[in-house]
Amino acid sequence: MADSGKDQPPPYVQGGYPPQQQQYPQQGYPPQQGYPPQQQYPQQQGYPPQQGYPPQQGYPPQQGYPPQQVYPPAQGQPGQGYPPQQYPQQQPQVVVVQQRGGIAPQTNAVLAWIACLCFFWPIGLVAVLKANEADKCIGRGDFEGGRRSGEAAKKWAIAAIITQVVLGVVVGIIYAIYVATVVSTVYGYNGK
């Protein structure tokens, strides 16, 4: 550490580094530290008056601008602006949508899915398709078609349940006859 002056920071000066020269303060702004002051520009006085434009109604006069001169309309020319235009008055159109029946009919989709998954599935599948058709009809706003398809889905689901029950009873009877036949031949029951 032979040259310890290079490793030290510059000395602290009150008011910032480098010290600012206060000879050109800007109006309304505090002096910025670390930047040279900017030159002052002379205060501007607004734009020169324009000829021929009347003052706008409803707007306050601008500060720093002299009022504008108003010229009278020339001979044979219309006054300020254009005559008011007439637009035809259109009545708002009201569209009335009437829904018949009020609430949407049932699609019986749950019953159809239960019939398809738990009972005789070929007929249950038809019930699911009818329930889907009912849902599409209701989505289109066709409540009557939705009601008809929902009732058809319910009928097909009931048919699937009844078919499964009947088939179960028939298969049970056939199985019971089979078991009785096997038992009778194994144990030699002759009926005597």
Side-chain angles (χ1 to χ4, degrees):
M1 287 228 225
D3 193 13
S4 64
K6 288 183 179 178
D7 295 336
Q8 297 296 323
Y12 177 74
V13 177
Q14 186 73 20
Y17 186 83
Q20 186 167 8
Q21 300 160 352
Q22 297 288 333
Q23 58 192 10
Y24 301 107
Q26 296 181 1
Q27 293 179 358
Y29 294 101
Q32 298 290 323
Q33 297 185 4
Y35 294 101
Q38 297 180 354
Q39 66 178 12
Q40 294 295 322
Y41 293 104
Q43 180 114 7
Q44 295 186 356
Q45 294 294 326
Y47 294 108
Q50 296 180 356
Q51 303 295 323
Y53 292 105
Q56 297 291 322
Q57 296 177 358
Y59 291 100
Q62 297 289 325
Q63 296 178 355
Y65 296 97
Q68 297 177 352
Q69 295 180 358
V70 178
Y71 293 106
Q75 293 284 337
Q77 297 292 327
Q80 291 185 25
Y82 294 101
Q85 298 205 2
Q86 300 293 327
Y87 294 104
Q89 295 291 330
Q90 292 183 354
Q91 296 293 328
Q93 295 180 356
V94 177
V95 178
V96 178
V97 177
Q98 294 180 348
Q99 295 181 349
R100 294 184 220 151
I103 60 173
Q106 292 183 355
T107 61
N108 296 308
V110 174
L111 181 63
W113 278 104
I114 289 172
C116 184
L117 296 175
C118 299
F119 294 96
F120 193 64
W121 69 267
I123 299 176
L125 185 61
V126 175
V128 168
L129 293 175
K130 287 292 183 180
N132 189 29
E133 182 181 326
D135 190 43
K136 287 181 181 179
C137 287
I138 292 170
R140 287 191 311 258
D142 181 15
F143 288 162
E144 183 60 31
R147 183 191 60 77
R148 280 183 276 140
S149 295
E151 288 177 0
K154 183 178 181 180
K155 289 176 184 176
W156 282 103
I158 291 172
I161 293 170
I162 290 173
T163 303
Q164 182 66 40
V165 170
V166 169
L167 283 177
V169 169
V170 169
V171 169
I173 291 173
I174 292 173
Y175 185 70
I177 292 172
Y178 173 74
V179 169
T181 306
V182 170
V183 169
S184 66
T185 56
V186 170
Y187 292 109
Y189 180 73
N190 296 353
K192 293 186 188 179

